[in-house]
Every structure is written in structure tokens, then in C-alpha cells.
Amino acid sequence: MRTYEELTGGFGHAIAFRARRQLARELLREQASTITIAGASYQLYDMAMNGVSFIATPDGPHWQVDDILEVDIRVHDTSAYLGRARVAREEQIYGQRRVGLQLLSGFLDLHEMQRLDEEQALMQDLVDGPERLLARIPKPYRDVLLATVHFAAFYQRSLGYHEARLHDANTVAADEREALARRAVASIRPRWHALRIAAAEAALSLRGDRLALAAAKAATETLLTSRLIAAPVLHRAYTKPLGYAGDFSVMLHIYKDSFEGDSAFGQVFHKLACEEPLSAGVRTRKDLIKRLTAREHARRRDEGEPLRAMSLGCGPAREVVEYLDECETPPAGIHWTLIDQEEKALSVAYHDVLRGIDARQADCTAQCLYLSFEQLIRDPLAIRGEPQDFIYCVGLFDYLNKRRAQALLASLYERLQPGGVMAIGNALGPNQHYWLAELVLDWTLIYRDRDELRTLAAPLTSQGATLEIQREDSSAYDFILLRKPR
Ligand SMILES: C[S@@+](CC[C@H](N)C(=O)[O-])C[C@H]1O[C@@H](n2cnc3c(N)ncnc32)[C@H](O)[C@@H]1O
């Protein structure tokens, strides 16, 4: 909890209060909000109490700023606003025409719109039931989903029974549970991995079909995720208690890679999830960063200089903790700057890294900065201090579209010392392992192939940066390595 003194209000332009805009797709579940102008309907993009924006068709009418229009804003079939609106602006965003309107005849009642949407969703659920969803899912995916659900349910029942039997026999519950889970994993592992690969293949047929993908995700979450979240890592990854996927706590489960959970079934699927390529790759990409740290540390040492290393989206900074611990002699002359938008992650990183420095009596320093990458893009002075010799960012670019990714790359490159190197990880695609993240956990990553990585780096290579692409040992992530010329 923060004290009243810490509640600062806005700064700069932000002191002028503006009604908050909400994206239509986030406010309304069923994405059923439209605006009708002169008999033509358009999809709403975002809305606030006193204004909306919508996506206009490329060949539709062209309005001028200050034109007054008669509009009808509807949620499903119910009118939520009928009256006049002023054209406030028109923008081209990703090739789409987005038109902003100021409402003149009253206000939008966003809560009422949400209520109408929820009501409609309930009606549809009651009348159409799951059949509506199932009908949208291609048969190959339905078949494989049934196989995975049966598999999980079978072992939930079987392991539950044997766990209860051991417990009844009054043996040491925790040890017996883990022994049972270890036995089960050994025999279940190959069949589960074959099933998830088959699921990923079947899910290919959903590509490009938004409705089929949404239906397949809903069915997978209802039937399978609800069971698999007995595994702590899957529970955290799916429920996203901090509001986003891949938080530091998920990462800590993956780094630990052990048998965690309250039931043998939960432990088995926790361990299997930690062994998936995307999880195994989290551990091996951390090893790659350790090797790059050692290489850059040696380079700077040969030059008689310290190494300034910066991690953006540092999470728990395991690579730093392990580097400190594993160096044969206590490392000297490294200054780490660890950046994350999550205070809780920084708290873990700060504690563990400082303890690591202290335990080795290492002549190194670490500072943690509570910043978002957006601040780095917007404010060249957001990190005061010297340019960095080694900048890395792991587990962040796979969430950024090309435009954001290139803006962030440029802003990191600005902070790189001539001769220094940048290492940027990204989940690779196409692959056979996206199913668990995308369909079971609703954890969307942008998987990129090497051509896409080269495209991201192109503005920097054209400035003279040398590019190398390196794959970590689990073949789940590729790294862009960019060195700045001296
Ligand atoms: C998948 S984790 C990776 C953590 C760490 N690099 C690792 O590999 O263990 C992603 C991290 O990025 C951080 N993050 C997400 N959005 C961010 C933002 N806008 N600015 C800075 N950090 C961000 C999250 O808080 C999280 O700690």
C-alpha cells in the first residue's frame, strides 16, 4: 500500500484530466459494438464517455474535421447512443483509417454497454451452449483436444487414486507423493510430448481464422486448462495475477525445474511444463547470456576497462546470480544495470544479486531501475550514466510488434558504447511447440524466423552495426547479436 504522500497525481501534460478511452475489444467481450452512419455500419475501435473512434472502410466516405454526423452506436442490437457527433480527427494507423468523433448529444454509458454485452453473452451461452463453439473448431483439432483431455483426466484419476492409497497407508505423504510423480513422469513424458506436438500440428488449421482460433482456445481452456492448472507453473502462467504473462514468478518456477505442486498429478504436469522447449529454452538462453557476459568481460578486461552490462526486462536476473556464483575466481569490474517495470521482480533481483556479490566478495556493483521500456524510448535521458558495453534483453521482444521492437532496438543502440554488443532474444518460429502457450495458457508470443529478425535489425545494420544470429541450445529462441562499430 502507498501512503497519501506517494499519491502524486499527474505530471506535465497529464494534469489535464481526460475521460479514459477503452478499446472496444477489451470493454466488450463479444466485440459487437458498431456505429452506423448514413446507413453504413463500422466497427468501433475505442470509446470514452464523450467520444469514440471507429475503423472506416478504405473506399468509404471521406469526412472533414468538424463535419457533423448523425450516428447510432449499438451494442449487439440495442442502441446505446443515437444523436450527433463531430468529426475530431482521422488517422492512418497500420494502413487503416481510424476516425475519431466527439459526441454532441449526450454521453455514452460504458457500464450500461458492458452490461448489455454480458447479458447478450449469457443469452447466447444459454441458448447455443458449447455446440456453437464446437461447430467452429475443425475436426482434426477437436480430435486431438479430446486425446489430450482424456490423457490428462486419465492420469488425474489414476494418480489421485494411488496418492490416496499411499496416504491411507499412512506413509510420509510429501516424499511418497514426489516419488509417485517421478515414477509417473518417466513413463508419461514421451506420450505427452507426442500429444502436444500433434496438437500443435492440428492447431495449424486454425491459423488465419479468428473465430475458429477463439473457439478452439475457449474449448481448450474449459476442458484441459482447468485440469492442468493443478501444476503451479501452469496456474500462474494462465491466471496472470500481475496482469501479464511471463512474470518473474513463472520464470522462477521454470528456472527451478523441479516437482512442485500439492498433488502428484500437479507435480507431473508442472515438471512436464518445465521441460517444454519454451521452458527448457529459458534455462539455456540464460546460459547463453552467461557465456556472452564472460566473453565481453574478458574483452573489456584485455582493454583494462570494467564491463558495463545492462539487462532490460531483467526479471529475477538469474544469469547474474549464477555468473557471480560460478566464476572460478570472484569476478571483478562488472557494473550491472537491471531494469524492469515490475517492482516485485526487481526486489528478487536486487536481493539475490547483492547477496551473490557479497558472498563472493566480488568487486562488482549492481543497480536496479524501476522503468518501462517505453520510458527508454521516449526519454533519451531516462538512464543517466555511461554508455553500456553489453546490453541484453531476453523475454521481451517476443511481445512487441515490429514497430515497437525497432523503436526499442534503436533506443538501446543509442545507449551502446562503440565496440559494445547487444543481445536480443526472440522465440523462434515456425515451431512445433506453440500449442501449450497459445491455446492452453492464452500466452501469446510473436514467434519470428531469421528473416524477420534481420528485418528488425535492418535499420541498425544500415548504420554499420554487424549482425550475427545465434540459437540457444534448446532451439526455442534465436538471438540477434549486434555489435556497434568503434
Ligand atoms: C518473460 S520475463 C523474462 C525475465 C528475464 N529476462 C529472464 O529471462 O528470466 C519478462 C520480463 O519483462 C518485464 N517487462 C514486461 N514489460 C516490460 C516493460 N514494459 N518494461 C520493462 N520490463 C518489462 C516483466 O516484468 C518480466 O520481468
Side-chain angles (χ1 to χ4, degrees):
M1 197 171 85
R2 291 186 294 163
T3 66
Y4 275 19
E5 283 150 36
E6 291 169 308
L7 305 177
T8 54
F11 294 99
H13 293 302
I15 60 170
F17 176 79
R18 299 174 67 188
R20 204 162 90 76
R21 288 192 168 271
Q22 286 188 270
L23 292 178
R25 65 166 186 277
E26 283 170 8
L27 189 73
L28 306 178
R29 270 183 10 151
E30 295 278 319
Q31 296 189 32
S33 49
T34 54
I35 181 164
T36 303
I37 306 168
S41 286
Y42 308 92
Q43 194 72 40
L44 277 192
Y45 177 74
D46 67 11
M47 51 189 116
M49 265 176 84
N50 53 356
V52 297
S53 72
F54 65 94
I55 310 293
T57 43
D59 47 354
H62 282 267
W63 298 282
Q64 304 296 320
V65 169
D66 287 339
D67 278 358
I68 304 294
L69 311 174
E70 289 295 327
V71 305
D72 182 7
I73 297 173
R74 290 179 162 262
V75 180
H76 300 281
D77 292 330
T78 310
S79 186
Y81 176 94
L82 187 61
R84 291 182 323 133
R86 182 183 74 85
V87 176
R89 64 181 184 285
E90 176 170 333
E91 299 161 299
Q92 281 286 337
I93 298 182
Y94 299 129
Q96 280 184 327
R97 289 176 62 204
R98 201 182 296 163
V99 180
L101 299 179
Q102 177 195 5
L103 303 181
L104 301 176
S105 313
F107 293 108
L108 267 186
D109 183 342
L110 300 184
H111 292 297
E112 176 59 9
M113 289 173 79
Q114 242 173 342
R115 194 194 64 77
L116 284 170
D117 186 48
E118 295 289 3
E119 192 53 39
Q120 180 70 21
L122 173 61
M123 277 249 302
Q124 228 160 27
D125 283 355
L126 295 179
V127 175
D128 299 339
E131 298 91 323
R132 181 170 69 110
L133 288 181
L134 272 186
R136 288 180 187 162
I137 305 174
K139 184 163 177 341
Y141 189 76
R142 265 191 276 160
D143 291 347
V144 84
L145 177 61
L146 176 63
T148 57
V149 170
H150 191 200
F151 190 88
F154 177 88
Y155 283 110
Q156 190 171 31
R157 186 169 177 205
S158 162
L159 295 174
Y161 168 79
H162 290 289
E163 195 173 345
R165 181 174 62 79
L166 293 173
H167 195 67
D168 287 347
N170 211 14
T171 48
V172 187
D175 286 355
E176 290 293 335
R177 179 183 302 133
E178 187 173 321
L180 175 61
R182 281 179 185 278
R183 236 177 105 187
V185 152
S187 75
I188 287 175
R189 182 182 284 121
R191 282 175 294 134
W192 172 248
H193 290 321
L195 265 180
R196 65 170 182 73
I197 289 171
E201 266 166 30
L204 288 177
S205 64
L206 305 166
R207 269 195 315 195
D209 185 340
R210 196 176 54 80
L211 287 180
L213 180 64
K217 279 175 97 154
T220 308
E221 289 171 33
T222 308
L223 293 168
L224 186 62
T225 312
S226 53
R227 290 181 191 281
L228 293 188
I229 55 176
V233 67
L234 297 179
H235 185 270
R236 179 94 186 183
Y238 179 65
T239 55
K240 306 175 186 62
L242 297 180
Y244 56 90
D247 67 31
F248 73 101
S249 180
V250 170
M251 305 312 286
L252 287 174
H253 282 307
I254 292 173
Y255 286 125
K256 200 166 168 201
D257 184 23
S258 65
F259 287 83
E260 296 182 65
D262 296 336
S263 63
F265 171 75
Q267 291 189 1
V268 165
F269 279 87
H270 178 91
K271 184 72 174 85
L272 290 173
C274 290
E275 294 175 358
E276 293 254 336
L278 282 171
S279 304
V282 162
R283 296 186 291 275
T284 41
R285 72 187 185 185
K286 170 221 7 131
D287 295 337
L288 174 59
I289 293 294
K290 284 193 290 184
R291 288 197 297 277
L292 292 172
T293 306
R295 187 183 80 182
E296 296 306 302
H297 188 198
R299 175 177 69 82
R300 293 292 286 168
R301 211 171 28 223
D302 291 347
E303 294 170 353
E305 297 288 346
L307 175 74
R308 292 152 302 188
M310 183 177 111
S311 168
L312 174 61
C314 65
R318 273 312 84 176
E319 69 290 347
V320 178
V321 177
E322 291 182 14
Y323 189 80
L324 284 162
D325 185 44
E326 291 165 7
C327 275
E328 269 178 35
T329 54
I334 309 186
H335 304 305
W336 278 285
T337 298
L338 306 172
I339 304 175
D340 207 288
Q341 59 76 41
E342 178 58 63
E343 252 181 319
K344 295 188 177 91
L346 288 176
S347 161
V348 173
Y350 187 74
H351 176 265
D352 292 357
V353 169
L354 288 197
R355 243 179 31 168
I357 290 175
D358 189 54
R360 296 299 306 272
Q361 294 289 294
D363 185 13
C364 296
T365 60
Q367 61 166 338
C368 289
L369 302 180
Y370 179 33
L371 280 176
S372 155
F373 73 79
E374 288 289 345
Q375 287 161 278
L376 300 193
I377 294 175
R378 271 190 263 121
D379 179 2
L381 301 176
I383 310 171
R384 276 180 288 278
E386 299 162 322
Q388 303 291 311
D389 306 299
F390 176 36
I391 295 179
Y392 58 94
C393 183
V394 185
L396 190 62
F397 272 74
D398 4 39
Y399 299 83
L400 309 185
N401 65 29
K402 182 177 153 198
R403 202 171 59 97
R404 278 341 265 148
Q406 286 188 327
L408 182 55
L409 272 178
S411 104
L412 293 176
Y413 194 70
E414 282 282 295
R415 293 167 165 96
L416 194 64
Q417 174 79 0
V421 75
M422 221 156 78
I424 308 294
N426 200 112
L428 67 88
N431 65 59
Q432 288 187 305
H433 50 249
Y434 70 99
W435 172 75
L436 190 89
E438 181 64 47
L439 280 108
V440 180
L441 300 176
D442 190 23
W443 181 347
T444 299
L445 293 173
I446 302 176
Y447 301 93
R448 291 189 164 104
D449 64 23
R450 290 188 163 202
D451 282 342
E452 289 168 300
L453 294 185
R454 280 188 205 97
T455 306
L456 288 189
L460 300 179
T461 48
S462 68
Q463 288 176 37
T466 50
L467 171 68
E468 190 194 331
I469 296 182
Q470 200 168 330
R471 188 157 292 178
E472 50 73 33
D473 290 346
S474 302
S475 295
Y477 303 90
D478 269 333
F479 277 76
I480 297 176
L481 302 180
L482 279 163
R483 195 173 289 281
K484 195 174 200 169
R486 284 181 191 276

